[in-house]
Amino acid sequence: MVGVTTTEQDLRTRAEEVLATLAGEGATLREDQWTAIHALVAEHRRALVVQRTGWGKSAVYFVATALLREQGAGPTVIVSPLLALMRNQIDAATRAGIVAVTVNSANLEDWEQTYAEIDAGEVDVLLVSPERLNNPDFRDRVLPRLTASAGMLVVDEAHCVSDWGHDFRPDYRRLRNLIAELPAGIPVLATTATANDRVVHDVTEQLGLEPADGRSADAPLRGAPLVLRGSLDRASLRLSVVPIPNPAQRLAWLASRLDELPGAGIVYTLTIQTAEDVAEFLRERGYAVRSYTGKTDPEARLDAEADLLGNRVKALVATSALGMGFDKPDLGFVVHLGAPASPVAYYQQIGRAGRALDRAEVVLLPGREDRDIWAYFASLAFPPEPLVRQTLAALSEHPVSTASLETRVDLSRTRLEMLLKVLDSDGAAKRVKGGWISTGGEWTYDGERHRRIAEARKAEQQAMLDYIATDECRLVFLRRQLDDPDPTPCGRCDVCSGTVWSPDVSAESTAAAEERLQRPGIEIAPRKMWPSGMKELDVPVSGKLKADELAEPGRAVGRLSDIGWGTRLRELLEGPDRPVPSELLDAVVRVLAGWGWAERPVGVIGIGSRTRPHQLEHLAGRIAEIGRLPLLGTLPPAGERPGAHENSAQRLAAVWHGFDTSALPDLSGVGGPVLLVDDVVDSGWTMTVAARALRKAGAPAVLPLALAQAG
């Protein structure tokens, strides 16, 4: 090799030998892989590698780890976002003779031994989650030793560090401080498969990868970061869009075509409930499938992944919880039942397919309800400045728990935790044992950045709609969204090839899907615990609800997010105050008929409404009439209409004094359960407080019944 020193040639030869143990005999390094390895091992540089899924990013850091360890360097620390990803990485490291361990919430009992092995120099790679970096015990006890002795730091799925990215995780922001504390000359590698120019710039900035003198990433300076970006093309992917506006027909299409899709694959949905419903329907139709969502417990996730890897199921029906790190080279297809909110997120998910295949099918079945789901997730964006300032004001030098903060700041638990993590990474707050404290540090609200991010999200949603409607090569469209300038048509997608999936489905399949989607009835689990700290909001309750205050498990026709009933329920509840239409009343009757209660209700009480009084009155009256039950009265609202609230504590406080209980009759003599009727169950506190009032009025049991459950 002209211009390559003997030392560099020897280093490359050794790198190829390590690669062979990792990937098998005959495997050779790509030129960009070698460039990255050489920069890390020989030059101790910082690098960002943006390459498609399956390109071999993990080979870069495992080969570099082996070479650095042979030179006497300390262990590599890999920050990885998912347990599934960690498991795959540990398996790959073991094949290369690299000792890899992980510290996570699932192996608490192994931590002490793991720390001892690290101290003894017996560990080559430690994998940790970004959340672990701010665990007070890990941060204060283990991290300083790791920082001082690490041989290399790897940030996997680095797009998570950027709030411009599609999967922002605020815990990643802490890595900037970690990198700043590394001894001089420690190489740092950040990797991702999905990053456009904006995200690449933000990742280098957020992680502090940029050289101190401000030189560009491609400057020939020893300390400058190396940025390697490759083509996004994968010759196996056949991209298609099948526009079917009706949810039942989309579900029927999936059930009719699943056998035609090659091998085993993934069916992605936008919500947890849809994933569970679709999996249940496909099983009813004879398919071996499993659901996989954020609610699936860790052991069931492991089993489901193993079933897909072993081709024991045709598909996993999954949310985005199955994404980063899942590695099945022969994954034959990815189908989306509903479009993700951005082409970048879409490309990240379809990148799971066809890594080691000549052909893999990628099919998108968009729905009109997708935009409502996008809007919901967009509502979880970074809070406005007044709420952030309120949160900072609620912190002091004494630890405050997240639950206690909820009584002082009206943010949902998810948004509050996200905010606290951002404030932590920015140095304004700190997580300690017992909760959160204020550091007293100055903090600036970057409203302009958040505005631009919101605008970018809207642009991405429009780009996704444009992808669905485009008449150009679909892969070229996706490349452009990720700032890959290659204009070469793929020749394989439905636009290029003219080969399209027919949207037609049989009447029998459509009828079966329609029946499944129109099957009303979901259980409403009763609240059993009061939120913490309610006395701060002048609500005198705590701990468990007393047995004589509890409601029974209730029922609703469906969820507002359902692909079946969801649209009709949303249209009714967002529309004017009008009687409940007959089809929904019929559904309520079917729910009542299939309830299977231990004792039949003996009467009906409605919850009054300020916004839809006639609708609620009509609903309670018709249920009483159809069930031939006495209408025992209405629990009318009292006081001013409460404002909209986000978290559980604030919502309970808003409804605690919200009813005129003096209007209730004495229910001690009714002799059986009472149906309590409302339109929507959201947080559950309206039903909980109302049921408590009925129980205190003498009702022996309360059966909540609603048209819809939010979420």
Side-chain angles (χ1 to χ4, degrees):
M1 298 173 65
V2 178
V4 177
T5 67
T6 303
T7 302
E8 288 176 339
Q9 183 60 65
D10 291 345
L11 187 67
R12 179 156 189 169
T13 299
R14 179 62 188 134
E16 298 275 10
E17 291 172 355
V18 175
L19 180 69
T21 65
L22 183 69
E25 291 297 326
T28 58
L29 288 168
R30 305 173 191 269
E31 283 306 311
D32 276 358
Q33 286 176 316
W34 166 243
T35 299
I37 291 168
H38 184 270
L40 295 165
V41 177
E43 300 176 344
H44 289 227
R45 288 175 68 183
R46 295 177 174 183
L48 172 61
V49 174
V50 183
Q51 298 283 357
R52 68 179 183 269
T53 304
W55 175 85
K57 296 181 288 295
S58 61
V60 170
Y61 50 74
F62 284 134
V63 171
T65 292
L67 299 181
L68 287 166
R69 292 288 279 166
E70 289 173 3
Q71 294 176 3
T76 292
V77 178
I78 300 177
V79 180
S80 187
L82 296 173
L83 286 177
L85 186 52
M86 292 183 189
R87 290 191 293 267
N88 288 338
Q89 288 162 328
I90 289 174
D91 291 343
T94 302
R95 291 196 298 272
I98 295 170
V99 179
V101 298
T102 180
V103 174
N104 61 66
S105 58
N107 65 354
L108 297 173
E109 67 282 358
D110 299 331
W111 286 10
E112 290 302 323
Q113 174 153 354
T114 297
Y115 297 155
E117 291 171 350
I118 293 170
D119 289 340
E122 299 170 357
V123 171
D124 300 314
V125 170
L126 173 66
L127 293 113
V128 298
S129 69
E131 291 79 11
R132 186 60 43 201
L133 297 176
N134 205 41
N135 173 276
D137 184 60
F138 184 88
R139 182 194 63 215
D140 299 335
R141 176 184 169 193
V142 180
L143 199 54
R145 299 204 306 266
L146 281 178
T147 302
S149 63
M152 179 169 66
L153 175 67
V154 176
V155 182
D156 207 5
E157 306 294 352
H159 63 274
C160 295
V161 80
S162 171
D163 47 12
W164 294 100
H166 65 274
D167 198 12
F168 170 58
R169 301 194 182 193
D171 293 286
Y172 266 75
R173 288 286 182 85
R174 299 189 183 100
L175 292 169
R176 183 185 183 96
N177 295 332
L178 175 59
I179 290 171
E181 293 168 4
L182 289 173
I186 300 300
V188 177
L189 172 65
T191 68
T192 181
T194 49
N196 55 20
D197 289 343
R198 184 173 57 227
V199 174
V200 167
H201 175 77
D202 200 34
V203 168
T204 56
E205 185 179 74
Q206 294 293 343
L207 292 181
L209 297 180
E210 294 177 324
D213 61 7
R215 299 194 192 192
S216 65
D218 56 0
L221 176 70
R222 178 180 175 82
L226 171 72
V227 177
L228 292 172
R229 297 182 69 176
S231 170
L232 298 176
D233 194 13
R234 179 177 292 123
S236 62
L237 298 184
R238 268 58 176 176
L239 306 180
S240 299
V241 175
V242 185
I244 305 174
N246 181 284
Q249 289 177 325
R250 289 200 301 278
L251 188 56
W253 187 97
L254 179 63
S256 300
R257 298 293 197 281
L258 200 55
D259 269 339
E260 299 177 32
L261 296 168
I266 301 171
V267 176
Y268 278 112
T269 68
L270 299 185
T271 68
I272 291 171
Q273 193 56 49
T274 300
E276 293 174 350
D277 290 346
V278 171
E280 182 181 348
F281 175 71
L282 291 175
R283 284 193 295 269
E284 291 173 358
R285 303 296 287 174
Y287 288 107
V289 299
R290 297 184 64 172
S291 61
Y292 188 111
T293 74
K295 285 188 176 179
T296 308
D297 67 63
E299 285 303 313
R301 286 194 191 196
L302 273 176
D303 289 344
E305 290 170 19
D307 282 348
L308 184 57
L309 289 168
N311 296 316
R312 292 187 291 274
V313 292
K314 179 64 178 178
L316 294 186
V317 185
T319 62
S320 58
L322 180 66
M324 293 180 295
F326 181 75
D327 185 10
K328 179 177 170 60
D330 63 340
L331 194 77
F333 64 89
V334 170
V335 174
H336 278 80
L337 201 62
S342 81
V344 179
Y346 182 60
Y347 184 82
Q348 194 271 338
Q349 291 178 347
I350 66 175
R352 310 256 71 81
R355 299 186 198 178
L357 297 174
D358 293 331
R359 183 184 184 96
E361 295 292 339
V362 174
V363 183
L364 172 60
L365 300 166
R368 286 180 293 186
E369 67 275 10
D370 297 348
R371 299 186 205 193
D372 292 334
I373 297 171
W374 299 346
Y376 167 74
F377 287 117
S379 72
L380 304 179
F382 197 78
E385 184 169 6
L387 283 172
V388 180
R389 296 295 175 194
Q390 188 178 347
T391 304
L392 284 169
L395 298 174
S396 67
E397 72 242 21
H398 303 294
V400 182
S401 69
T402 308
S404 181
L405 281 171
E406 284 185 317
T407 67
R408 311 178 200 183
V409 182
D410 189 16
L411 286 171
S412 68
R413 178 65 61 92
T414 299
R415 294 183 80 196
L416 181 58
E417 288 178 341
M418 182 265 286
L419 170 60
L420 289 167
K421 289 174 180 179
V422 171
L423 293 174
D424 186 335
S425 65
D426 289 347
K430 185 177 182 180
R431 185 184 172 199
V432 297
K433 289 185 177 180
W436 297 85
I437 62 172
S438 170
T439 64
E442 298 238 352
W443 186 81
T444 301
Y445 186 89
D446 194 346
E448 176 60 22
R449 178 183 178 90
H450 298 310
R451 184 191 64 77
R452 287 185 285 117
I453 290 170
E455 290 179 352
R457 293 282 183 266
K458 290 180 181 178
E460 288 171 348
Q461 292 175 9
Q462 184 57 52
M464 199 65 219
L465 297 174
D466 294 342
Y467 171 80
I468 292 167
T470 189
D471 58 1
E472 73 171 325
C473 170
R474 296 196 189 278
L475 192 60
V476 168
F477 187 101
L478 292 176
R479 286 188 196 125
R480 189 165 60 249
Q481 292 298 313
L482 278 92
D483 295 308
D484 179 345
D486 184 358
T488 308
C490 71
R492 304 180 302 272
C493 70
D494 54 359
V495 174
C496 288
S497 67
T499 303
V500 298
W501 288 90
S502 169
D504 297 334
V505 290
S506 70
E508 186 272 335
S509 294
T510 301
E514 189 75 36
E515 189 279 328
R516 177 63 186 83
L517 293 180
Q518 299 310 314
R519 195 181 300 166
I522 60 169
E523 182 172 306
I524 301 171
R527 289 278 193 174
K528 295 182 179 181
M529 290 284 296
W530 300 111
S532 301
M534 290 308 301
K535 291 181 181 178
E536 294 188 36
L537 294 173
D538 296 322
V539 178
V541 292
S542 62
K544 292 182 178 180
L545 273 80
K546 297 176 182 177
D548 61 359
E549 297 176 339
L550 280 170
E552 301 297 312
R555 295 292 187 275
V557 172
R559 295 176 181 83
L560 294 178
S561 60
D562 286 349
I563 58 175
W565 284 104
T567 300
R568 279 168 293 179
L569 288 168
R570 289 194 303 273
E571 288 174 350
L572 174 68
L573 298 173
E574 292 170 1
D577 184 17
R578 60 189 176 93
V580 177
S582 59
E583 63 168 352
L584 272 171
L585 283 174
D586 291 343
V588 170
V589 172
R590 291 167 63 190
V591 169
L592 291 170
W595 195 318
W597 42 52
E599 186 178 358
R600 190 177 190 274
V602 297
V604 177
I605 289 182
I607 293 180
S609 170
R610 292 181 179 86
T611 55
R612 286 183 295 277
H614 300 301
Q615 190 173 95
L616 267 295
E617 182 181 353
H618 174 259
L619 177 63
R622 288 292 290 138
I623 289 172
E625 182 181 337
I626 293 169
R628 297 180 180 178
L629 298 171
L631 183 60
L632 300 175
T634 298
L635 188 58
E640 296 182 3
R641 179 184 177 186
H645 295 279
E646 282 199 32
N647 70 48
S648 194
Q650 302 283 345
R651 287 179 171 184
L652 172 57
V655 302
W656 182 253
H657 299 293
F659 298 112
D660 180 7
T661 56
S662 66
L664 282 176
D666 180 5
L667 300 175
S668 57
V670 295
V674 174
L675 272 178
L676 178 61
V677 178
D678 200 0
D679 52 0
V680 183
V681 173
D682 190 350
S683 66
W685 289 121
T686 296
M687 275 291 194
T688 301
V689 172
R692 179 178 181 269
L694 267 59
R695 295 296 306 274
K696 285 187 171 296
V702 177
L703 301 169
L705 174 66
L707 291 175
Q709 184 175 46

